[in-house]
Amino acid sequence: MRIGSVEGRATLIIPGTGPTEDISGIDIQTASHGRFSADTLELLQEWEDLRQWASTVDLATTPVHRVKRNLLEAPVAQPKQIFAIGMNYSDHAAEVNLSIPTTPAVFTKFSSALAGPEATVALPTASVDWEVELVAVIGIGGHNIPRESALDHVAGYMVGQDLSERELQFAGGGAPQFSLAKSYPGFAPTGPWITSSDEIADPGALSMVCSKAGRVLQKGTTKNLVFDLPHLIEHLSSVVELYPGDLIFTGTPDGVGFGRSPQEYLVPGDELVSSIEGLGEIRQQFTPWIGATASADADASGRSTVTLG
Ligand code: ZN
């Protein structure tokens, strides 16, 4: 089951559509005659019932809409919490000259940074970097979740980009500004939809690619995670309660611009394509940040285009 968001409404994405074409979708609330909500956060609380229903939808009698990919929004627009993990691939830790953490390096991406899978992002500086990441969506929440049953709490997976402004990230000396530097408007595009966890046999063996103008920048696999997803869920939930819809950005493999010699960053006109096996792809175009007093229009609804005035 694939659940996307179109005009703020949860939409069942019909399988079998190509990666670059317009896709087809079914408005869940309408097609279920109100049995299910249009709000994905509510759907995550009855995910199994939704899966049952989705498996029985009769495509011959249900209204199906063509959906332009650039109208897809962030599948979870307003999660209570967003977690992200730094240096969670040994190859990436090495390229940025940081040691492999002995405990997960946790920060947040603020929800105002969320954007849709085809979001255009304005570059605030000349040192914005890319990080393709597997993003887990929590279904059943909980506190003190043991790693043995941790994956039972995952509703599904998405592709994410942990866009990062490297200058601010390391500013301030002793306490790096990871959370702020990774939360400019549009810095957390996710999608293209939630792929339910039953369709992913092993989240610890997914290949991922990030490329720009056909040039592969990152090529990795979640086999190389330092702390795998069950470990992360156990660790996070040993401190905070996890809620339905919470997102976990699990870290990025090597190949980021900061670790290159010479260093390389995104420039206006670039298009970044990030994909993960079985989950689809997200696509970001980059524009100049207009004006020093820019006020972001992008909000947690994850509109597909981030406009700056
Ligand atoms: Zn990251």
Side-chain angles (χ1 to χ4, degrees), residues 84-86 92 107 131 133 162 164 182 249 251-252:
I85 313 298
H92 172 59
F107 59 95
E131 296 192 353
E133 308 203 359
D162 178 19
S164 305
K182 290 164 172 270
F249 282 71
T252 200

Side-chain angles (χ1 to χ4, degrees), residues 50-260:
L50 181 68
R51 258 190 350 103
Q52 287 293 324
W53 173 80
S55 68
T56 62
V57 168
D58 181 359
L59 294 179
T61 58
T62 306
V64 175
H65 307 280
R66 297 292 288 167
V67 178
K68 286 218 170 294
R69 288 182 63 96
N70 63 5
L71 295 181
L72 288 169
E73 298 160 350
V76 184
Q78 294 185 309
K80 275 202 164 89
Q81 306 176 107
I82 304 172
F83 304 95
I85 313 298
M87 283 76 69
N88 202 24
Y89 287 77
S90 51
D91 45 17
H92 172 59
E95 73 173 344
V96 295
N97 289 319
L98 293 167
S99 46
I100 297 173
T102 51
T103 186
V106 180
F107 59 95
T108 188
K109 286 173 82 71
F110 297 108
S111 62
S112 57
L114 281 171
E118 304 260 327
T120 296
V121 181
L123 293 169
T125 70
S127 46
V128 175
D129 205 348
W130 50 83
E131 296 192 353
V132 61
E133 308 203 359
L134 172 68
V135 177
V137 182
I138 295 296
I140 302 163
H143 201 196
N144 290 319
I145 299 168
R147 70 183 77 179
E148 293 73 24
S149 57
L151 293 182
D152 297 345
H153 292 259
V154 177
Y157 302 96
M158 305 188 289
V159 183
Q161 258 292 340
D162 178 19
L163 294 170
S164 305
E165 202 294 301
R166 297 301 191 198
E167 218 166 297
L168 179 60
Q169 181 177 348
F170 296 105
Q177 311 279 352
F178 278 42
S179 299
L180 204 56
K182 290 164 172 270
S183 294
Y184 284 91
F187 270 34
T190 53
W193 36 71
I194 304 169
T195 299
S196 58
S197 53
D198 58 296
E199 297 198 8
I200 300 300
D202 182 3
L206 296 176
S207 58
M208 63 183 75
V209 177
C210 171
S211 60
K212 191 174 66 167
R215 173 178 154 228
V216 173
L217 301 169
Q218 294 183 276
K219 198 170 195 300
T221 163
T222 53
K223 283 181 189 165
N224 294 335
L225 282 167
V226 177
F227 300 104
D228 65 11
L229 187 57
H231 190 132
L232 294 176
I233 290 171
E234 179 181 82
H235 179 70
L236 293 168
S237 74
S238 73
V239 180
V240 296
E241 179 163 358
L242 298 182
Y243 299 108
D246 283 357
L247 306 182
I248 304 173
F249 282 71
T250 54
T252 200
D254 68 346
V256 302
F258 180 71
R260 289 168 186 262

